[in-house]
Amino acid sequence: MRKLPFKKRSLLFAPMEGVTDEPYRIAIERAFPEWDYLCTDFLRVPTVGAFSNQKLINHYGQKVLKTPDLRKKTGFQILTSYRAQTEEMVKQINEIPEIEHLDLNLGCPSKKVNAHKGGAYLLSEMKELREIIQIIRKNFDRTFTVKIRIGYKDTDRFTDSLKLFEDEGVEAITIHGRTRDQLYRGVANWDFIKEAVNTVSVPIIGNGDVWTVQDIDKMFEYCGCDSIMLGRGALKTPWLASLYYQYQDRLDELDDFTLLQERRTYVQNYFDELEREYKKEENKNVRILNRFKSFSRYIFDDFENAEALRSSFLRASSLDHFKDLLYGI
């Protein structure tokens, strides 16, 4: 019996620090509902002290908590380390029955996170990793998954980690095809995703260098993975799931002209929905503008004269100026 909250061959919008907060996720769900699943950015388990239940609920999202259709498409991600208050916090999360899926971040490459022995660092410490997995599995009685890289400094423990997750009752493994030390350099190695599919019975979710609708098909075909999670690819093309489900059976129709026309509509819709949600949280347009500029670093790559276009948005002097540029593309 399938224990995951999404169907096989789903497209998942990756958890991203500083991006996938509740307003962003709600905007994505409204603009591009074809995404099968979304996830919170990670909440770091404290080493000392504890969070209030309200802090946990706010991270997940008040509206998400109260909206069944949003809830069934939303996972809650945490990041922890060996000495953190993992047991206490997982017990707290388990007492919020609406949170049906907990994901552990074992892939974060951040220098600060890894210096504190969290994120991908734990893939180098099998004993500590097993204890953490056991603690979470013992104290969370609903869906529990992990998101990993293929190793910390190297891939020597990759197979061991897969077996560990399978043995300890993890219900799916998302694999980014790079080590922590690679950061985002080079090309993600999908061979490890394929190897994982053939090594364990746990559903494997592929991640890394999926940029186009064609890449989605290539990863499914090459790796045989259960589903696909997109991070930077989703930031660059937030409407990618919409394109994929619209054109997956007729990719030959997805020519440059069609993409250009779709892109203009999609990018305007994207920022409109983000503004709508951010204005519920922010009373200063400059903060919204700064977030819009950060997304502009990714989203115009496929437009004609991308560098000049991106530069104009980054130089926008106000939110109104940004929107004028948006409707002039």
Side-chain angles (χ1 to χ4, degrees):
M1 180 180 176
R2 187 176 180 84
K3 297 181 180 178
L4 300 179
F6 45 83
K7 68 182 188 300
K8 193 174 176 65
R9 291 181 70 89
S10 282
L11 299 181
L12 319 179
F13 200 108
M16 286 177 274
E17 184 181 13
V19 176
T20 54
D21 57 10
E22 183 185 40
Y24 187 91
R25 284 180 273 119
I26 289 174
I28 287 292
E29 169 62 17
R30 194 160 49 234
F32 313 117
E34 293 83 1
W35 287 103
D36 295 296
Y37 205 71
L38 302 102
C39 197
T40 72
D41 52 341
F42 69 73
L43 183 63
R44 191 190 305 260
V45 178
T47 303
V48 178
F51 290 135
S52 66
N53 277 9
Q54 193 59 53
K55 168 81 173 179
L56 301 177
I57 290 170
N58 289 345
H59 186 76
Y60 186 65
Q62 294 268 10
K63 183 175 180 180
V64 172
L65 194 79
K66 297 173 183 176
T67 310
D69 286 347
L70 291 175
R71 228 172 36 232
K72 70 182 183 182
K73 292 182 67 171
T74 305
F76 190 109
Q77 190 182 71
I78 61 171
L79 182 145
T80 194
S81 60
Y82 186 64
R83 299 190 182 282
Q85 307 295 311
T86 306
E87 181 173 358
E88 292 82 353
M89 185 160 141
V90 171
K91 284 180 176 178
Q92 271 186 281
I93 295 171
N94 196 59
E95 290 171 358
I96 304 171
E98 293 87 354
I99 298 177
E100 298 176 358
H101 172 201
L102 186 63
D103 185 71
L104 175 63
N105 184 325
L106 295 168
C108 180
S110 158
K111 183 176 180 180
K112 181 177 180 180
V113 166
N114 283 266
H116 287 87
K117 300 185 177 182
Y121 171 84
L122 287 166
L123 298 171
S124 67
E125 298 291 341
M126 291 292 106
K127 181 178 179 295
E128 294 182 0
L129 178 60
R130 186 178 295 276
E131 289 185 33
I132 289 170
I133 297 297
Q134 288 175 339
I135 287 169
I136 297 174
R137 182 69 288 175
K138 178 182 177 182
N139 292 286
F140 190 76
D141 59 16
R142 300 179 288 280
T143 302
F144 170 41
T145 63
V146 296
K147 185 176 187 295
I148 72 170
R149 288 199 169 217
I150 57 177
Y152 182 54
K153 293 184 177 298
D154 53 50
T155 61
D156 291 353
R157 296 178 176 86
F158 179 67
T159 302
D160 290 341
S161 67
L162 296 176
K163 294 289 190 181
L164 185 159
F165 299 135
E166 183 176 46
D167 291 346
E168 299 301 340
V170 169
E171 284 151 337
I173 307 167
T174 300
I175 300 173
H176 180 101
R178 290 180 175 87
T179 64
R180 180 270 160 190
D181 278 7
Q182 285 180 272
L183 300 176
Y184 294 99
R185 295 188 297 268
V187 178
N189 191 336
W190 292 1
D191 289 343
F192 284 91
I193 300 169
K194 183 176 183 178
E195 178 186 339
V197 170
N198 295 322
T199 300
V200 293
S201 59
V202 177
I204 300 299
I205 300 163
N207 175 236
D209 288 347
V210 178
W211 302 102
T212 66
V213 291
Q214 291 85 356
D215 288 340
I216 293 170
D217 273 346
K218 287 175 186 175
M219 178 174 272
F220 275 132
E221 182 179 347
Y222 182 73
C223 301
C225 50
D226 181 276
S227 294
I228 293 175
M229 179 176 284
L230 294 90
R232 291 179 301 153
L235 268 184
K236 177 175 173 288
T237 313
W239 51 89
L240 194 57
S242 304
L243 276 181
Y244 181 72
Y245 285 126
Q246 183 178 354
Y247 289 101
Q248 60 179 324
D249 297 323
R250 47 195 180 96
L251 292 182
D252 57 317
E253 297 180 21
L254 205 53
D255 55 26
D256 289 344
F257 178 77
T258 303
L259 280 172
L260 179 62
Q261 298 304 111
E262 299 275 12
R263 230 179 273 139
R264 286 173 174 159
T265 301
Y266 281 141
V267 76
Q268 290 162 357
N269 190 28
Y270 175 64
F271 283 110
D272 282 348
E273 292 296 351
L274 286 175
E275 181 184 12
R276 179 177 168 185
E277 286 306 311
Y278 288 154
K279 281 197 167 177
K280 296 175 183 177
E281 305 285 329
E282 298 280 4
N283 56 13
K284 292 187 177 179
N285 283 351
V286 67
R287 293 179 180 171
I288 299 174
L289 175 64
N290 288 339
R291 294 201 74 175
F292 279 13
K293 286 183 177 182
S294 71
F295 298 142
S296 297
R297 298 181 186 279
Y298 305 95
I299 207 162
F300 295 110
D301 282 357
D302 291 331
F303 281 76
E304 188 176 353
N305 301 318
E307 284 302 322
L309 191 62
R310 182 185 297 109
S311 179
S312 68
F313 279 92
L314 291 175
R315 293 197 309 269
S317 57
S318 67
L319 185 59
D320 285 340
H321 183 196
F322 187 99
K323 290 161 63 179
D324 287 343
L325 292 170
L326 186 64
Y327 279 88
I329 59 176

